[in-house]
């Protein structure tokens, strides 16, 4: 990756002789994915997704040419073709100007306490298999168990006329999944984590395994709840998916530009309970979506999206920030060099409050604690939201009864849900297993989280 | 780097019991527009090789098969990368299976639009024009994305198999806005097609303009038990549970509940029964292909007939493991039509008619489903009221208790079947 620095700098300079702005991004992914399940194993190097994308701004719009070939002649040809194409489209030197940022050369490297390469492959496969065997040993209702470990190293080099930035990101993910069956009924549940670093993050704590088995067992015999509006407690994981869907997608400013997000009209207005703070930060320590710079060369910073219930900032990519005259945030991200950059989330979470879980439950006469989210979807234009999960535990007279319902779906109007928050827990937890799509494609790694939240929600 | 070069390196590796190479060559032209303005134009050219290595050895007295898959592209040190994959294959212990032999014949399917292949830039421009001209006066085209792709796949394996396929793919995604100022609503349409003639974005834009207008006055659905008719986008993923449960992997991993000769729903049914076929040979189908990823010629398989499970869809691996006839993985879903007309399905209300969800993906293990409604209508007393928000939920088992299929059929990306499907007594949650 470092070897590409000089040639990319030279080509960006060459391209800017013709176009008002040029940049290059080189990406390469390496690592391994190992999994064991009840009757099958796998061990594969990750798809390297190695390639380079050249970007130019013609004064009117962006144009990109991407290639898998890192050879010098292929790079020169790709850059030259892009410039010729831009000339054909027409160049306007009086159009909006792209700020290349301050002059900066910086290298950011995530270190591993235990380098996965130091652990013999056989040992890693055996460790995955040991989890599978352990899960089967703990509960005879399990018909299929899976343990998946992956280590992803992503090297990214961004070059424009002022910046030459290199980041070497490493993350480790471990997931345990089980399918239980009894009496003709089946249930599936998973647990795990994804964190920056190395093999030190391989193990899943025994408490998590115990909780996985217990909760899956409860889901196996659970019925569906009676639809209605209830007092609810969202677990930190459920709060995370709520943050992501509610005002994560709703504040991606490319959606402002397309007039697809109502949030644009509600900037600096109350959209949530005054107890609510919400953030997006690629600078969050050790989290899976943490980085130094985004895929358009913007250095990381923490963005406060909601402060005391007031919507105060969006998440920008280069195009929407330029067109809308917004401050850039480091949210211009792409799935790979083959894909376009959009405004995307990173680590998105509700900030902490002051309440303890037991106090949040204490005066609920009848409600549910929601946990184990599975997916969600938001409509930034209409502010409708859908959150799905596997687990709703009944609360009666201030106590969790142990009676569980599954699956559970939350639907509603985003501001109604956010404004109904009456208590916010004091401990934020981040969940790193998520991936996020834009619409139904463009998958990037994100995390989300928050503390326990108490609110009113429509459940089905 | 080329496929022969990689095959040469693989042949020189001593321990291999088998290998496969899939060459993927892709050229994609993309346009992104915000309102009428271009946001970005992109060209992406990719050539890569997906190589799978297999080794056989004895572990604890049992013959096992190790395997690993690696992706190579220009600039890679081929021997070094293959060594990495080989090292990984040696630590994996699976039940052995054999790769497909060279096929005697492959089905022929039309997957290439020659105009798309020959002049992708012009086709991209034409789709852009189609979107612009189809826009209706009171509707704004907020954004659109157009992808025009031409791909070649070539598969070789160590048994001498050498097959290839070529395909074109068009994708259009558009967002329409209705209303102005404080009261606006959107509808988003997406369509994949292999041939330009099948894309028909103009007609689609007309329908989605109606949905956007209707969304301006849409209400939450009422809460309760309703007979629900699914159509349009709601059909695309409706049968995924059956496709996954019918697969070889679900059976081998122990979580398929389907048994050959048994009904797929445990209870008695009224209404019509489900007949579901995996069909890889539908011209223009997005999951149509002559051979599967291992080079096995794909077949039409009747998976469920009149609610009775008939046959699994399996690739070569799971066919060998389960001692079944290999069929290739599940392809396009074809559902047999019913006796009633689409209009009849929508009569005798109140009926909830659902066309689009924010997401609708039945749980592949349990069959439970729920979806937030994006576009729907409550049909009651001869009046059609647009609905939006709220959800429909149930399980696939219960859905089959009383289900009706329209006799009119439609072809969507990977679905051919009834234009509408009516499921009685589903739970709708809303106001």
């Amino acid at each position: 990756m470092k070897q590409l620095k000089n040639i990319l700098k030279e080509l960006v300079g060459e391209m800017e002789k013709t176009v008002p702005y040029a940049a290059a991004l080189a990406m390469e992914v390496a690592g391994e994915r190992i999994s064991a399940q009840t009757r099958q194993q796998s061990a594969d190097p990750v798809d390297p997704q190695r390639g380079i994308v050249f970007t130019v701004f013609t004064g009117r719009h962006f144009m990109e040419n991407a290639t898998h070939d890192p050879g010098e002649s292929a790079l020169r040809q790709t850059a030259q073709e892009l410039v010729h194409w831009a000339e054909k489209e027409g160049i306007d030197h009086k159009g909006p100007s792209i700020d290349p940022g301050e002059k900066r050369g910086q290298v950011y490297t995530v270190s591993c306490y235990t380098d996965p390469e130091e652990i013999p492959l056989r040992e890693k496969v055996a460790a995955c298999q040991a989890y599978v065997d352990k899960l089967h040993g703990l509960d005879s209702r399990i018909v299929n168990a899976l343990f998946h470990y992956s280590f992803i190293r992503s090297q990214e080099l961004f070059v424009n006329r002022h910046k030459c930035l290199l980041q070497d990101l490493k993350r480790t993910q471990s997931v345990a999944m089980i399918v239980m069956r009894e009496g003709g009924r089946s249930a599936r549940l998973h647990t795990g984590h994804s964190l920056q670093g190395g093999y030190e993050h391989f193990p899943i704590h025994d408490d998590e395994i115990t909780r996985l088995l217990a909760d899956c067992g409860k889901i196996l015999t659970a019925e569906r709840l009676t639809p209605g509006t209830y007092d609810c407690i969202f677990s930190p994981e459920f709060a995370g998916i709520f943050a992501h869907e509610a005002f994560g997608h709703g504040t991606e400013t490319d959606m402002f530009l397309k007039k697809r997000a109502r949030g644009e009209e509600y900037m600096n207005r109350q959209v949530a309970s005054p107890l609510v703070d919400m953030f997006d930060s690629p600078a969050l320590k050790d989290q899976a979506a943490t980085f130094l710079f985004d895929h358009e060369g913007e250095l990381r910073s923490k963005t406060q999206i909601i402060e005391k219930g007031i919507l105060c900032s969006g998440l920008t990519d280069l195009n929407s920030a330029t067109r809308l005259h917004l401050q850039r945030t480091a949210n211009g991200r792409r799935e790979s060099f083959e894909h376009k950059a959009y405004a995307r989330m990173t680590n998105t979470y509700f900030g902490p409050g002051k309440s303890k879980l037991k106090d949040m439950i204490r005066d609920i006469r009848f409600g549910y604690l929601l946990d184990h989210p599975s997916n969600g979807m938001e409509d930034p234009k209409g502010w409708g939201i859908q959150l799905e999960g596997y687990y709703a535990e009944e609360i009666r007279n201030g106590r969790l009864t142990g009676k569980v319902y599954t699956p559970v779906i939350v639907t509603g109007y985003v501001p109604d849900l956010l404004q109904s928050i009456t208590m916010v827990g004091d401990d934020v937890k981040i969940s790193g297993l998520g991936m996020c799509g834009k619409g139904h494609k463009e998958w990037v790694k994100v995390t989300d989280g928050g503390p326990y939240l108490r609110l009113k929600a429509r459940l089905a | 780097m080329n496929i022969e070069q990689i095959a040469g390196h693989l042949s020189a590796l001593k321990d291999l019991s088998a290998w496969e190479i899939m060459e993927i060559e892709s050229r994609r032209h993309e346009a992104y527009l915000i309102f009428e303005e271009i946001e970005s134009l992109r060209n992406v050219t990719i050539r890569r090789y997906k190589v799978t290595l297999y080794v056989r050895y004895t572990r604890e007295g049992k013959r096992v098969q190790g395997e690993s898959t690696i992706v190579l592209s220009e600039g890679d040190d081929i021997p070094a990368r293959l060594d990495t994959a080989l090292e990984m294959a040696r630590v994996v212990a699976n039940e052995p299976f054999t790769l497909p032999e060279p096929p005697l014949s492959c089905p022929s399917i039309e997957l290439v639009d020659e105009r798309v292949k020959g002049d992708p830039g012009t086709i991209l421009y034409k789709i852009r024009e189609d979107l612009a001209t189809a826009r209706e006066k009171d509707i704004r085209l907020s954004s659109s994305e157009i992808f025009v792709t031409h791909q070649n796949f070539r598969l070789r394996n160590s048994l001498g198999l050498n097959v290839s396929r070529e395909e074109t793919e068009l994708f259009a995604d558009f967002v329409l806005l209705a209303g102005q100022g404080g009261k606006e609503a959107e509808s988003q349409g997406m369509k994949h097609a292999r041939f330009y003639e099948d894309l028909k974005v103009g007609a689609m834009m007309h329908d989605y303009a109606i949905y956007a207008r209707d969304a301006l006055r849409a209400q939450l659905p009422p809460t309760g038990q309703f007979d629900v008719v699914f159509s349009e986008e709601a059909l695309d993923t409706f049968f995924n549970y059956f496709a996954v449960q019918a697969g070889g992997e679900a059976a081998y991993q122990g979580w398929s509940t389907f048994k050959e000769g048994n009904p797929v729903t445990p209870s008695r049914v009224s209404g019509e029964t489900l007949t579901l076929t995996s069909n890889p040979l539908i011209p223009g189908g997005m999951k149509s292909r002559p051979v599967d990823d291992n080079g096995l010629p794909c077949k039409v398989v009747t998976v469920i007939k009149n609610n009775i499970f008939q046959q699994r869809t399996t690739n070569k691996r799971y066919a060998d493991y389960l001692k079944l006839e290999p069929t290739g993985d599940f392809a396009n879903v074809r559902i047999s039509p019913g006796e009633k007309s689409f209009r009849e399905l929508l009569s005798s209300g109140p009926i909830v008619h659902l066309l689009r969800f924010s997401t609708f993906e039945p749980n592949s293990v349990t069959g439970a489903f729920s979806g937030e409604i994006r576009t729907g209508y409550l049909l009651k007393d001869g009046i059609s009221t647009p609905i939006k928000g709220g959800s429909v939920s149930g399980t696939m088992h219960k859905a089959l208790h009383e289900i009706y299929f329209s006799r009119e059929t439609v072809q969507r990306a990977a679905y051919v079947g009834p234009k509408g499907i009516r499921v009685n007594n589903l739970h709708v949650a809303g106001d």
Side-chain angles (χ1 to χ4, degrees):
Chain A
M1 190 62 66
K2 282 178 190 166
Q3 293 159 349
L4 288 172
K5 206 158 63 175
N6 290 336
I7 179 75
L8 294 185
K9 271 185 185 173
E10 182 197 325
L11 292 173
V12 164
E14 281 295 317
M15 289 191 290
E16 284 198 341
K17 287 178 185 168
T18 311
V19 296
Y21 177 79
L25 176 74
M27 303 174 86
E28 180 171 9
V29 178
E32 59 194 10
R33 297 183 200 278
I34 296 174
S35 71
Q37 56 181 321
T38 305
R39 300 184 71 183
Q40 206 169 327
Q41 298 177 335
S42 69
D44 303 300
V46 300
D47 180 348
Q49 294 174 26
R50 186 179 58 235
I52 297 96
V53 55
F54 291 99
T55 304
V56 297
F57 183 66
T58 63
R60 291 203 291 237
H61 54 256
F62 287 89
M63 297 178 73
E64 294 192 323
N65 218 1
T67 177
H68 63 276
D69 192 341
E72 187 176 326
S73 61
L75 293 176
R76 284 188 190 283
Q77 188 185 336
T78 306
Q80 279 165 11
E81 280 175 1
L82 178 58
V83 168
H84 290 152
W85 186 25
E87 285 179 309
K88 210 169 141 190
E89 285 288 322
I91 292 163
D92 179 3
H93 287 278
K94 291 178 184 163
S97 71
I98 302 293
D99 178 7
E102 289 175 14
K103 284 196 175 176
R104 190 184 283 259
Q106 200 168 338
V107 176
Y108 173 71
T109 303
V110 173
S111 56
C112 295
Y113 183 79
T114 305
D115 185 345
E117 286 191 11
E118 288 173 8
I119 310 296
L121 265 172
R122 199 171 295 279
E123 193 176 309
K124 288 182 268 198
V125 175
C128 291
Q129 190 63 50
Y131 269 103
V132 171
D133 296 343
K134 179 179 171 177
L135 287 163
H136 277 290
L138 288 169
D139 198 311
S140 60
R141 294 173 296 179
I142 294 175
V143 292
N144 185 241
L146 176 144
F147 191 93
H148 178 84
Y149 146 81
S150 63
F151 172 72
I152 310 283
R153 180 183 182 193
S154 179
Q155 294 180 86
E156 297 168 353
L157 170 67
F158 176 85
V159 176
N160 73 9
R161 99 179 70 114
H162 282 177
K163 289 178 184 166
C164 183
L165 305 169
L166 180 66
Q167 59 190 1
D168 187 353
L169 309 172
K170 299 169 191 113
R171 69 172 195 263
T172 293
Q173 179 163 307
S174 288
V175 178
M177 191 276 294
I178 53 175
V179 178
M180 279 188 183
R181 186 179 307 147
E182 190 176 53
R185 299 186 59 151
S186 304
R188 178 172 58 190
L189 203 63
H190 69 271
T191 189
H193 54 253
S194 183
L195 292 163
Q196 279 198 330
Y199 200 69
E200 65 275 15
H201 297 307
F202 176 89
I204 295 181
H205 199 275
D206 283 349
D207 291 350
E208 279 299 297
I209 296 293
T210 304
R211 193 169 81 100
L212 172 71
L213 291 163
D215 289 354
C216 193
K218 289 179 194 168
I219 288 170
L220 188 61
T221 56
E223 299 297 330
R224 290 193 91 123
L225 54 73
T226 305
T229 300
Y230 297 96
D231 283 317
C232 293
I233 305 287
F234 282 5
S235 71
E237 273 190 334
F238 223 98
I241 196 168
F242 180 32
H244 179 97
E245 301 297 345
F247 270 114
H249 283 300
T251 53
E252 292 167 341
T253 57
D254 55 345
M255 302 294 267
F256 290 6
L257 202 54
K258 296 166 184 170
K259 300 294 172 198
R260 293 192 60 197
R262 196 181 287 184
E264 185 185 13
E265 301 152 30
Y266 280 76
M267 276 296 159
N268 304 313
R269 288 168 66 179
Q270 195 87 31
V271 293
S273 149
L275 299 171
V276 173
D277 290 318
M278 198 177 129
F279 304 91
D280 181 90
S281 176
L284 210 57
K285 191 172 182 300
D286 296 337
Q287 296 303 329
T290 293
F291 50 72
L292 172 70
F293 59 89
D294 72 4
H295 293 144
E296 295 174 312
E298 183 65 22
L299 290 168
R300 68 187 182 186
S301 60
K302 180 177 175 178
T303 304
Q304 182 148 15
I305 297 169
I306 297 175
E307 185 176 6
K308 294 180 180 161
I310 293 170
L311 188 60
C312 51
S313 182
L315 309 174
T316 65
D317 63 338
L318 180 59
N319 184 52
S320 62
T322 304
R323 306 276 183 192
L324 296 168
H325 308 290
L326 297 172
Q327 189 179 339
R328 273 288 275 131
T329 62
N331 295 94
R333 303 181 70 196
R334 51 178 105 223
E335 181 177 320
S336 76
F337 74 97
E338 293 181 45
H339 292 251
K340 178 186 174 295
Y342 295 83
R344 308 302 301 272
M345 282 172 265
T346 62
N347 306 299
T348 312
Y349 55 99
F350 286 110
K354 292 178 179 166
S355 300
K356 299 285 181 198
L357 177 60
K358 63 177 184 341
D359 299 327
M360 296 166 79
I361 293 175
R362 185 174 291 154
D363 64 341
I364 294 179
R365 289 188 61 197
F366 181 37
Y368 293 97
L369 184 146
L370 273 55
D371 200 0
H372 296 292
S374 52
N375 62 62
M377 199 58 125
E378 197 240 351
D379 163 18
K381 189 71 184 170
W383 275 354
I385 191 168
Q386 170 180 329
L387 307 172
E388 284 187 64
Y390 295 119
Y391 187 97
E393 184 171 353
E394 186 184 70
I395 303 168
R396 275 199 190 265
N397 302 319
R399 297 180 68 172
L400 288 162
T401 66
K403 188 166 175 52
V404 169
Y405 296 83
T406 193
V408 60
I409 175 169
V410 179
T411 57
Y413 183 62
V414 170
D416 287 352
L417 281 165
L418 285 169
Q419 284 174 0
S420 77
I421 293 173
T422 51
M423 296 175 97
V424 177
D426 60 355
D427 188 15
V428 172
K429 286 186 182 144
I430 302 291
S431 170
L433 293 182
M435 294 290 285
C436 172
K438 190 90 169 173
H440 295 271
K441 55 186 182 64
E442 314 294 343
W443 297 98
V444 297
K445 185 72 196 170
V446 295
T447 78
D448 51 47
Y452 282 102
L453 299 176
R454 179 171 161 176
L455 69 164
K456 272 203 187 300
R458 187 171 64 230
L459 307 183
Chain B
M1 185 183 293
N2 61 49
I3 199 164
E4 280 73 25
Q5 210 179 342
I6 298 167
H9 284 286
L10 287 166
S11 302
L13 287 174
K14 281 182 184 165
D15 292 351
L16 293 189
S17 60
W19 53 258
E20 289 173 303
I21 312 169
M22 170 77 86
E23 180 184 35
I24 303 154
E25 198 176 9
S26 164
R27 186 158 181 86
R28 194 168 67 236
H29 296 248
E30 306 171 356
Y32 301 80
L33 287 93
I34 298 179
F35 294 99
E36 276 77 36
E37 299 295 319
I38 293 171
E39 178 198 3
S40 182
L41 296 171
R42 309 184 77 244
N43 282 345
V44 182
T45 307
I46 300 298
R47 191 166 66 239
R48 57 167 66 104
Y49 303 87
K50 192 175 161 194
V51 184
T52 304
L53 291 73
Y54 298 92
V55 292
R56 291 230 177 145
Y57 60 98
T58 302
R59 181 183 279 186
E60 295 165 3
K62 223 170 121 184
R63 284 301 277 173
V64 294
Q65 182 165 286
E67 59 194 87
S68 185
T69 299
I70 194 161
V71 177
L72 302 174
S73 61
E74 203 60 56
D76 271 327
D77 178 343
I78 301 173
R81 301 287 322 277
L82 293 181
D83 278 347
T84 303
L86 183 57
E87 192 192 345
M88 296 186 109
R90 282 180 178 139
V91 297
V92 167
N94 288 331
E95 210 176 318
F97 73 98
T98 57
L99 296 177
E101 300 274 351
L104 296 174
S105 66
C106 284
S108 169
I109 317 160
E110 198 61 47
L111 298 174
V112 178
D113 183 327
E114 291 297 336
R115 286 183 305 162
V116 173
K117 180 184 171 185
D119 193 356
T122 299
I123 294 292
L124 188 139
Y125 186 78
K126 207 166 160 47
I127 297 168
R128 193 182 147 192
E129 286 281 295
D130 292 343
L131 288 167
T133 52
R135 187 177 68 78
E136 297 179 15
K137 274 184 185 169
D138 61 326
I139 298 289
R140 287 176 293 159
L141 178 58
S142 152
S143 60
S144 50
E145 297 187 359
I146 306 160
F147 294 5
V148 176
T149 308
H150 173 242
Q151 295 191 100
N152 278 304
F153 299 87
R154 186 176 163 204
L155 178 68
R156 281 190 61 179
N157 76 17
S158 50
L159 298 179
L161 181 140
N162 189 347
V163 292
S164 57
R165 82 169 192 267
E166 185 181 9
E167 61 190 34
T168 51
E169 185 173 336
L170 304 166
F171 171 69
D173 174 324
F174 59 84
V175 178
L176 301 180
L177 293 178
Q180 289 288 340
K183 186 77 174 162
E184 289 181 338
E186 71 167 40
S187 70
Q188 180 174 15
M190 274 178 282
K191 191 160 184 191
H192 290 269
R194 298 237 174 262
F195 312 124
Y196 172 73
E197 273 68 26
D198 288 347
L199 199 62
K200 295 186 178 109
V201 286
M204 197 176 163
M205 290 262 288
H206 174 71
D207 292 342
Y208 280 68
I210 294 169
Y211 306 150
R213 283 185 207 105
D214 286 346
L216 287 169
R217 58 188 182 96
Q219 304 168 2
L220 274 174
T223 296
Q225 296 281 123
F226 286 90
D227 297 344
V228 177
V229 174
F230 296 84
S231 68
E232 299 200 5
E233 285 180 29
L235 299 170
D236 292 341
T237 53
F238 192 87
F239 295 98
N240 284 4
Y241 164 75
F242 298 100
V244 178
Q245 280 283 328
E249 182 173 7
Y252 183 70
Q253 301 299 353
W255 51 268
S256 172
T257 55
F258 290 2
K259 287 193 170 61
E260 285 86 344
N262 285 2
V264 292
T265 178
S267 328
R268 285 188 61 190
V269 296
S270 55
E272 295 176 319
T273 55
L274 173 68
T275 294
L276 180 150
T277 304
S278 166
N279 190 334
L281 308 179
I282 295 169
M286 295 311 294
K287 290 189 180 173
S288 293
R289 52 197 178 161
V291 295
D292 76 357
D293 288 346
N294 295 120
L296 191 77
C298 290
K299 291 178 184 169
V300 176
V301 180
T302 301
V303 173
I304 297 167
K305 190 171 182 183
N306 296 329
N307 280 7
I308 306 296
F309 183 55
Q310 306 290 315
Q311 187 184 353
R312 290 201 180 277
T313 51
T314 54
N315 60 20
K316 187 63 167 53
R317 174 197 296 270
Y318 293 110
D320 282 8
Y321 289 175
L322 298 165
K323 299 185 173 36
L324 298 172
E325 182 198 355
T327 64
D329 285 321
F330 201 98
N332 307 293
V333 60
R334 182 187 277 277
I335 305 293
S336 296
E339 291 180 1
K340 293 174 189 286
S341 70
F342 184 59
R343 185 183 285 270
E344 283 175 282
L345 294 188
L346 292 171
S347 64
S348 69
I351 300 277
V352 171
H353 178 201
L354 301 178
L355 292 82
R356 297 167 62 233
F357 293 101
S358 59
T359 179
F360 187 87
E361 191 61 60
N363 185 305
S364 55
V365 170
T366 65
F369 63 82
S370 50
E372 192 222 15
I373 300 161
R374 281 281 163 94
T375 301
Y377 297 89
L378 174 67
L379 311 175
K380 192 179 173 187
D381 302 329
I383 297 167
S384 172
T385 308
I387 54 172
K388 186 171 181 289
S391 62
V392 63
S393 55
T395 69
M396 280 297 160
H397 297 289
K398 285 187 183 162
L400 291 190
H401 285 187
E402 192 173 358
I403 191 165
Y404 299 91
F405 305 95
S406 74
R407 62 172 172 259
E408 301 93 328
T409 60
V410 290
Q411 178 168 351
R412 299 181 59 81
Y415 169 92
V416 177
K419 181 181 173 184
I421 293 167
R422 174 166 164 164
V423 179
N424 285 359
N425 297 311
L426 281 181
H427 210 103
V428 174
D431 205 4

